[in-house]
Amino acid sequence: MVKSINQLFDLKGKVPFLGLTGGIGSGKSSVANFLAKQGAVVIDTDQIAHQITAPNGPAIEAILKEFGPDYLNGDGSLNRPKMRQQVFTDPNSKQILEAITHPLIRQETIDRTQQAINKQAPYIVFVVPLLLESGAWKEHLDHIAVVDCPDELRIQRVMERSQLDRTSILQIMASQASRDERLAIANTILTNEGDLSALEAQASLLHQKMLDL
């Protein structure tokens, strides 16, 4: 039975919940990796999304049935660029894909949260790129941290690390909340303009805030 998101929020209060978000290329992973080294448990919903659409992942059979073999790579994983273009141009395809993937992501998130609580994690970091857009998260977190940097710097970073071109990146950014919208919900803002040591110093202060909750 697929679990409800309320089952995740019912676990609130066992350990502090930190929501970590930011636009594509902002540096969320760098902050999450630092916090993990300090002992926090990190649950990255984007990583889970990649895992369930990897070869033989639990979402693959349904994706094949709904979209056909053209949307899979030769190794059986999701063809993410092709699917990205499809869902950007066809709202119905987006709904179908989300109906397949979201319950699986939710179930894995809940399972990992319970495991972290059982292991008495000091706090849990939920890395959620679309934290603001999803709606359900905001009211159920003890603290929200936003990793922020100028849009042009984000574009440069993504182009350097991936095969995405500028047009594709701008398309992704347009589908996400604006920089101002994210900053408006932040309890903590971490500025990431390229100096890793400066970013880690801010993450260290965030870590201490979470321990003090």
Side-chain angles (χ1 to χ4, degrees):
M1 180 179 178
V2 175
K3 297 179 180 179
S4 162
I5 193 64
N6 290 331
Q7 290 177 261
L8 171 62
F9 300 141
D10 287 345
L11 297 172
K12 183 182 175 184
K14 308 287 187 181
V15 301
F17 284 4
L18 168 63
L20 179 63
T21 192
I24 184 173
S26 61
K28 297 182 296 297
S29 295
S30 296
V31 174
N33 290 340
F34 177 85
L35 295 176
K37 290 176 183 176
Q38 309 312 304
V41 170
V42 173
I43 301 174
D44 188 326
T45 58
D46 204 34
Q47 287 183 1
I48 294 172
H50 278 76
Q51 290 168 5
I52 66 172
T53 55
N56 300 313
I60 292 299
E61 184 177 350
I63 289 172
L64 178 62
K65 179 180 178 181
E66 293 290 344
F67 294 95
D70 288 347
Y71 287 85
L72 301 184
N73 294 314
D75 64 357
S77 64
L78 175 65
N79 184 328
R80 301 183 75 85
K82 186 175 180 66
M83 183 62 77
R84 185 183 300 113
Q85 287 304 312
Q86 178 66 21
V87 299
F88 275 139
T89 56
D90 180 14
N92 186 55
S93 293
K94 183 174 185 288
Q95 290 181 354
I96 292 171
L97 181 65
E98 289 179 347
I100 295 169
T101 59
H102 283 192
L104 294 169
I105 294 169
R106 186 165 60 241
Q107 184 156 351
E108 183 65 20
T109 299
I110 293 168
D111 290 345
R112 293 189 188 187
T113 300
Q114 186 63 68
Q115 291 167 15
I117 291 170
N118 292 344
K119 293 178 180 178
Q120 299 182 320
Y123 61 94
I124 300 174
V125 183
F126 296 98
V127 185
V128 187
L130 301 181
L131 186 150
L132 177 58
E133 296 87 333
S134 64
W137 284 92
K138 183 174 176 289
E139 303 302 323
H140 297 279
L141 296 165
D142 297 296
H143 199 90
I144 296 175
V146 173
V147 187
D148 178 60
C149 68
D151 289 349
E152 191 58 39
L153 181 55
R154 291 167 52 205
I155 293 169
Q156 292 174 12
R157 286 175 179 161
V158 177
M159 289 180 68
E160 289 170 0
R161 77 183 189 200
S162 72
Q163 302 299 315
L164 293 174
D165 57 25
R166 186 181 184 86
T167 300
S168 297
I169 297 167
L170 289 172
Q171 194 175 39
I172 293 170
M173 291 171 66
S175 71
Q176 298 180 343
S178 71
R179 186 180 179 189
D180 287 343
E181 288 171 332
R182 276 191 296 270
L183 294 178
I185 67 166
N187 301 115
T188 294
I189 298 170
L190 300 96
T191 302
N192 180 22
E193 296 190 353
D195 186 334
L196 183 59
S197 61
L199 181 63
E200 290 186 343
Q202 296 172 76
S204 181
L205 294 174
L206 174 61
H207 171 66
Q208 192 57 52
K209 285 181 184 178
M210 294 308 300
L211 293 181
D212 291 340
L213 288 181

